[in-house]
Amino acid sequence: MSGTNKPKLRVSARYLGPVFSLDQELSDREQNLIFARNGTGKSFLSRALRYLDQNGQLENIENASKNLVSDESTDGKGKFTISHGGIALGELSLDQHSNTVTASASDTVFHVFSEDFVHEELRQKGYAPSGEIDNTIALDSEIIKTKDAEEALKKAVSDEAEAAKKLNDAFNSSKDTELVDKTGINRRLGEFKSLDVALYLPDSVAKPDTPNPTLSEIIQGLDAIKSLPAEPLYPEVMSLLKADDIDFPAMTESLEKETSPSSVSEAVKSRIDAHREFFEKGVKFLEQSGDEKCPFCKQGVSSGDPKAVIDTYIQYFEAEEQKHKAELRGYWKALHETESEVQQISPKFAAQKTRYDTLKRLLPSKKDTDLALGEQEIKNACAAISDWKETVECKAKALSENTAAPASDIKKSLEDLNRVIEQNNALISDLSTAIRRSDDERKKLQRDACGAFSIGFARDNWADIEALRGRRKTVRERQAALDELAKDAPKTDGRERVADTFEMLLKVFFGDRYLFDKVNFVLRRGDHEMVRGPNRTLSDGEKTAIAFCYFIACVHKKVKSVSEYQKLFLVFDDPVTSMSYDYIYTIAQTLKNLSISKSGEISVNAGKIDGNTRSRPRLLILTHSSYFFNICFSNRIIKSEAAFSLQRHEATHQLKSFKRYVAPFQDQLRDIISVSEGRDADHTTANAIRSVLEAVGRFCRPDKPELTDFISFVAAEDGIELKSTLINSFSHGTFYDEVPSHEDILQACKDTLAVVERYAFGQIEIIRRAA
């Protein structure tokens, strides 16, 4: 029986694909099994382990962050850790934004079987294993006289740890003083929590330049935000000029129009022009009233000189010359009014700027912004209007001449001026919004303060950082010296070990059907070469079985010394794809009987396992195949307490002990119940609905074997209206213009439960009791 105090394996993940949060213990056994439904994130866990595997082999894993981190991660970061008894066996720290990854494995050699392994090692090579294996394995590191080298390494490690602690203590103390005390930063802020002086320890990192802005400048900005008044005096937003009020085509036509002078004498014209409104009102009054007395002095106007003079006035106002002049006066007046409006903009701009400058100094993000005064635009507009006014005035004095319109473009000048007004208004709006959201700016400044602090500390303590770098270099050099001594030990050929193990396993799976030519490192069909090549000869199931065998043989490529065989951690991600039953049983039996001796000999003979000179390796098996899980469970490939199910509950994943067979019907029914009670549906819900209905129909109503027939029967017999079209569409990936609504899916779940309750009574109660 498993001891209660033995340390357990633990898997932790943060924002790995669909796995947003996972931190669960497995068993204290050396072999563990995890069952997971499609889409729960199993592949992302195995892929993270695969990257730890590749990192241990010094392969490039720079794409790990891009391939692993969830799109939903707000800071673009993710993390994976597998530990045992609180000690990390392997760890990945991922940052999608900077496309960086930090990987570490503590005294553990990971070896991961997955789709990636099959593709890289066999599929893209046409299932012709590469014989280029130059790995040599030290037989017995204890015979190497490495005591002095080990002691030197131990001292170097101790010195490095002491220097690292001193630097970290100074960093943490300064972090509290400069950030918490002076900026009031929240310790839970992500940028604060991620501060780490280790960022500057790699030799490739140069001494950073002075931050811009500096920490002291940022602190000044935070103090300025505190000075914002409760009711700031905001700059006023200006209205735009109406550039379309003047009909320029009509005015141009009026300028070009030639009007002959009237026959009225110049003396009369001069008298009328001097007091135009007076004469114009009088003439209109006489024309409208028909009175024969002067509207002003009341004397008779029907005879004699007064009538002749007044007729002259009437003649003048009815002439085209007067009408043309009146038209020009209208244009001049419109131009004058626009000119006055433009001239009033300059003081408005100045008032805007005064208020804006007062407020922007209190917001660091706005201190470099400025309002425009539009001097040139105002000048251009006034000059253009003046040109037109002068032209209109000249035209009024020479109506009989064709006068060309000025080249000055008033409309464009006004549009240019309006553009300045709009830009200023936008800056004012942004400033007002920033003031209302000053708390957001305060938080941004606090985030910026973290970066400025980190750079400033590094600059101030660069000598200590370089000293620690030196100690780390010493550790590497002494480790290299120890490794060099290890190379002088008796070696064995890794290629030969791979070939022997591969040959042995192929015989377990295929007998003499497929053999391995260890000299030429090629697969043969019996004694014959595969003319079409393995890739075109082997079935998919055979390819999977061969890949499984080759994977186990490749453990010899992972170790550098015999002692490292005890550090192996084997991970299998769904090793039974495209397989018939006999291969699945063989793989399960191989996993159960697999053992490695202390000298590195691999065997699948259960009788050799003694737990002393030969023992089973550490295994983690992940699968979504309920059939394979049940075989492993029933044949005790792992102990019952080491079987788990990866499940998602809202944003959190859990590894639950799974001491029973996997029944797909019950799992799918459990999901339907969960959605009906409020959980969001996902891409597996539709398939679960269809599968449950098909199962109920075939077993409870065998006379209705087809799903559509069973649905029609249920509708007629029980009045349960299941949407067969909906079920067929969204469970088989059919394209449709509109995604089914949450209400439709929810109703489908409820209707399905009604069918189960009617034709498979008791099943729902079993699920609820098990929960």
Side-chain angles (χ1 to χ4, degrees):
M1 180 177 288
S2 174
T4 57
N5 295 323
K6 291 177 63 177
K8 296 182 178 181
L9 191 68
R10 176 180 287 272
V11 177
S12 301
R14 178 180 177 273
Y15 286 114
L16 256 61
V19 183
F20 295 167
S21 176
L22 170 66
D23 186 17
Q24 296 277 169
E25 285 186 338
L26 283 84
S27 75
D28 57 10
R29 296 288 182 177
E30 295 294 320
Q31 297 82 32
N32 286 271
L33 173 64
I34 298 176
F35 172 76
R37 297 274 299 280
N38 281 332
T40 54
K42 170 186 67 67
S43 296
F44 280 85
L45 298 181
S46 70
R47 197 169 297 148
L49 289 161
R50 171 73 172 159
Y51 279 119
L52 287 174
D53 176 354
Q54 292 176 308
N55 182 70
Q57 301 306 304
L58 304 180
E59 297 178 25
N60 186 354
I61 62 168
E62 63 181 9
N63 62 346
S65 296
K66 179 179 68 175
N67 292 337
L68 290 179
V69 177
S70 310
D71 292 337
E72 291 81 359
S73 175
T74 55
D75 58 2
K77 295 181 179 180
K79 193 165 187 177
F80 173 80
T81 305
I82 182 167
S83 59
H84 185 248
I87 299 174
L89 303 180
E91 188 171 39
L92 289 174
S93 294
L94 309 155
D95 191 331
Q96 195 177 54
H97 291 166
S98 61
N99 196 29
T100 58
V101 55
T102 303
S104 63
S106 175
D107 212 28
T108 303
V109 179
F110 289 97
H111 190 39
V112 180
F113 180 85
S114 65
E115 176 65 19
D116 292 337
F117 171 86
V118 176
H119 179 74
E120 294 170 12
E121 296 291 337
L122 291 171
R123 186 179 298 122
Q124 66 181 3
K125 298 176 183 177
Y127 283 84
S130 173
E132 296 181 5
I133 302 173
D134 57 3
N135 186 39
T136 53
I137 304 167
L139 291 176
D140 190 355
S141 61
E142 291 181 357
I143 67 173
I144 305 173
K145 298 180 180 179
T146 59
K147 185 175 181 180
D148 290 344
E150 289 174 350
E151 287 297 324
L153 176 60
K154 183 178 180 181
K155 184 179 185 308
V157 170
S158 176
D159 291 345
E160 179 198 7
E162 182 180 351
K165 183 179 184 304
K166 182 179 178 181
L167 185 62
N168 274 314
D169 288 347
F171 183 80
N172 291 330
S173 176
S174 182
K175 184 170 67 172
D176 286 346
T177 301
E178 295 297 318
L179 292 178
V180 177
D181 296 344
K182 293 184 179 180
T183 71
I185 201 168
N186 190 326
R187 293 178 185 273
R188 293 194 296 266
L189 187 69
E191 286 77 3
F192 181 84
K193 291 168 65 177
S194 64
L195 286 173
D196 193 342
V197 73
L199 173 69
Y200 301 99
L201 293 182
D203 294 335
S204 59
V205 178
K207 183 177 180 179
D209 296 330
T210 301
N212 182 26
T214 64
L215 180 59
S216 61
E217 289 171 338
I218 293 173
I219 292 173
Q220 289 175 6
L222 287 167
D223 291 339
I225 290 178
K226 295 177 184 177
S227 303
L228 279 171
E231 296 183 1
L233 186 60
Y234 293 108
E236 292 185 3
V237 174
M238 289 176 56
S239 299
L240 298 179
L241 296 168
K242 296 180 180 179
D244 297 326
D245 281 359
I246 303 174
D247 190 346
F248 285 98
M251 182 163 54
T252 300
E253 183 179 343
S254 182
L255 289 173
E256 294 173 350
K257 182 170 63 176
E258 299 176 5
T259 300
S260 300
S262 69
S263 59
V264 177
S265 68
E266 291 300 325
V268 173
K269 291 181 183 178
S270 298
R271 191 181 313 140
I272 291 175
D273 286 340
H275 303 284
R276 173 171 297 278
E277 291 186 3
F278 173 82
F279 288 102
E280 191 171 29
K281 287 180 181 179
V283 169
K284 286 182 179 179
F285 184 84
L286 284 174
E287 289 177 341
Q288 293 171 359
S289 65
D291 197 345
E292 295 192 2
K293 291 185 178 181
C294 176
F296 306 110
C297 64
K298 299 301 181 180
Q299 64 179 335
V301 296
S302 60
S303 64
D305 289 338
K307 183 177 188 308
V309 173
I310 290 173
D311 287 343
T312 302
Y313 295 160
I314 292 173
Q315 179 186 355
Y316 172 79
F317 281 109
E318 289 179 349
E320 287 299 321
E321 178 184 10
Q322 187 278 334
K323 293 179 181 178
H324 196 170
K325 283 186 177 183
E327 185 178 81
L328 291 172
R329 281 195 301 276
Y331 290 131
W332 189 91
K333 182 179 179 182
L335 289 169
H336 182 70
E337 289 174 352
T338 301
E339 183 180 42
S340 299
E341 190 176 356
V342 170
Q343 291 171 344
Q344 292 171 12
I345 289 177
S346 183
K348 290 182 179 179
F349 274 162
Q352 272 187 331
K353 182 173 175 58
T354 299
R355 292 188 180 183
Y356 187 89
D357 290 348
T358 300
L359 292 176
K360 77 174 187 179
R361 297 187 186 96
L362 304 179
L363 284 177
S365 64
K366 301 298 178 185
K367 68 178 182 179
D368 294 329
T369 62
D370 207 354
L371 296 186
L373 290 176
E375 295 99 330
Q376 189 60 48
E377 288 79 2
I378 293 173
K379 182 178 179 181
N380 293 343
C382 288
I385 295 171
S386 179
D387 284 350
W388 280 82
K389 285 176 64 180
E390 290 178 6
T391 303
V392 170
E393 290 173 353
C394 291
K395 175 64 177 179
K397 297 175 181 178
L399 294 179
S400 62
E401 297 178 5
N402 184 328
T403 303
S408 302
D409 191 338
I410 294 178
K411 188 172 183 180
K412 181 180 181 306
S413 298
L414 296 180
E415 288 173 350
D416 291 343
L417 189 51
N418 277 337
R419 196 172 297 113
V420 176
I421 294 173
E422 287 176 334
Q423 291 169 352
N424 281 357
N425 288 345
L427 287 172
I428 290 169
S429 177
D430 288 345
L431 177 69
S432 302
T433 301
I435 290 174
R436 288 192 294 271
R437 297 177 179 175
S438 59
D439 190 54
D440 292 341
E441 178 147 353
R442 176 185 60 80
K443 291 178 181 177
K444 179 183 181 302
L445 286 175
Q446 288 178 335
R447 294 188 184 95
D448 294 343
C450 292
F453 163 77
S454 179
I455 294 173
F457 181 88
R459 288 181 57 82
D460 294 342
N461 296 270
W462 196 249
D464 293 335
I465 290 173
E466 289 190 320
L468 180 54
R469 283 180 172 181
R471 294 188 183 278
R472 295 179 71 182
K473 182 180 179 181
T474 300
V475 170
R476 292 195 298 270
E477 290 173 346
R478 293 184 180 177
Q479 181 66 61
L482 185 60
D483 293 342
E484 190 65 29
L485 288 173
K487 289 181 182 179
D488 296 333
K491 306 290 192 305
T492 188
D493 189 345
R495 183 180 189 273
E496 185 177 340
R497 287 199 173 201
V498 170
D500 288 343
T501 302
F502 192 28
E503 180 186 48
M504 178 271 293
L505 290 171
L506 286 177
K507 286 185 177 181
V508 172
F509 275 79
F510 302 104
D512 293 330
R513 191 187 343 162
Y514 296 115
L515 301 177
F516 186 60
D517 182 346
K518 295 191 292 184
V519 176
N520 297 306
F521 229 74
V522 294
L523 277 168
R524 295 184 179 276
R525 187 178 180 88
D527 295 330
H528 304 287
E529 183 179 349
M530 299 183 194
V531 178
R532 292 179 299 176
N535 192 41
R536 295 184 177 181
T537 303
L538 301 168
S539 69
D540 288 343
E542 289 173 333
K543 289 176 181 178
T544 302
I546 288 171
F548 177 82
C549 296
Y550 185 65
F551 168 78
I552 294 177
C554 283
V555 299
H556 301 297
K557 294 168 62 175
K558 296 294 178 72
V559 298
K560 297 180 177 62
S561 66
V562 171
S563 62
E564 289 192 349
Y565 281 104
Q566 307 307 309
K567 300 177 182 179
L568 282 168
F569 193 117
L570 307 186
V571 179
F572 293 88
D573 181 13
D574 268 334
V576 295
T577 306
S578 303
M579 282 192 161
S580 59
Y581 295 146
D582 51 348
Y583 288 144
I584 292 178
Y585 280 116
T586 305
I587 280 186
Q589 198 68 14
T590 300
L591 292 173
K592 181 177 181 179
N593 298 330
L594 181 65
S595 65
I596 305 177
S597 71
K598 288 188 175 180
S599 61
E601 179 190 3
I602 293 178
S603 172
V604 291
N605 185 339
K608 290 186 177 183
I609 301 174
D610 59 10
N612 185 19
T613 60
R614 177 182 293 277
S615 59
R616 295 180 70 189
R618 288 179 290 179
L619 298 178
L620 178 61
I621 306 170
L622 303 103
T623 183
H624 72 263
S625 169
S626 57
Y627 182 73
F628 180 61
F629 178 90
N630 290 337
I631 288 177
C632 290
F633 190 86
S634 60
N635 288 274
R636 298 186 66 79
I637 310 304
I638 49 87
K639 303 299 181 182
S640 59
E641 63 269 22
F644 296 87
S645 172
L646 178 63
Q647 299 178 9
R648 178 173 58 198
H649 180 68
E650 296 180 350
T652 302
H653 277 61
Q654 297 177 340
L655 288 168
K656 291 189 175 181
S657 182
F658 215 48
K659 297 182 180 180
R660 59 184 176 85
Y661 294 129
V662 174
F665 174 84
Q666 291 184 344
D667 277 350
Q668 291 164 339
L669 184 55
R670 181 182 294 104
D671 279 356
I672 294 171
I673 293 172
S674 177
V675 172
S676 74
E677 293 175 347
R679 179 178 71 79
D680 289 340
D682 57 27
H683 66 283
T684 67
T685 304
N687 189 58
I689 293 173
R690 182 182 181 88
S691 297
V692 166
L693 289 173
E694 285 180 336
V696 173
R698 289 179 182 179
F699 285 96
C700 300
R701 292 296 307 203
D703 58 326
K704 309 292 181 184
E706 296 298 326
L707 178 61
T708 52
D709 294 337
F710 181 59
I711 288 175
S712 298
F713 171 78
V714 168
E717 187 74 13
D718 304 292
I720 302 174
E721 295 288 343
L722 291 158
K723 294 185 178 180
S724 60
T725 304
L726 174 66
I727 294 170
N728 277 290
S729 294
F730 76 144
S731 66
H732 283 84
T734 303
F735 174 82
Y736 38 80
D737 292 332
E738 295 185 5
V739 177
S741 69
H742 171 74
E743 290 72 19
D744 285 341
I745 299 176
L746 178 62
Q747 188 60 48
C749 288
K750 291 180 178 178
D751 291 341
T752 301
L753 294 179
V755 171
V756 174
E757 190 68 17
R758 168 70 177 83
Y759 291 94
F761 182 76
Q763 287 292 334
I764 295 176
E765 184 61 28
I766 291 173
I767 299 299
R768 294 191 189 280
R769 284 203 304 267

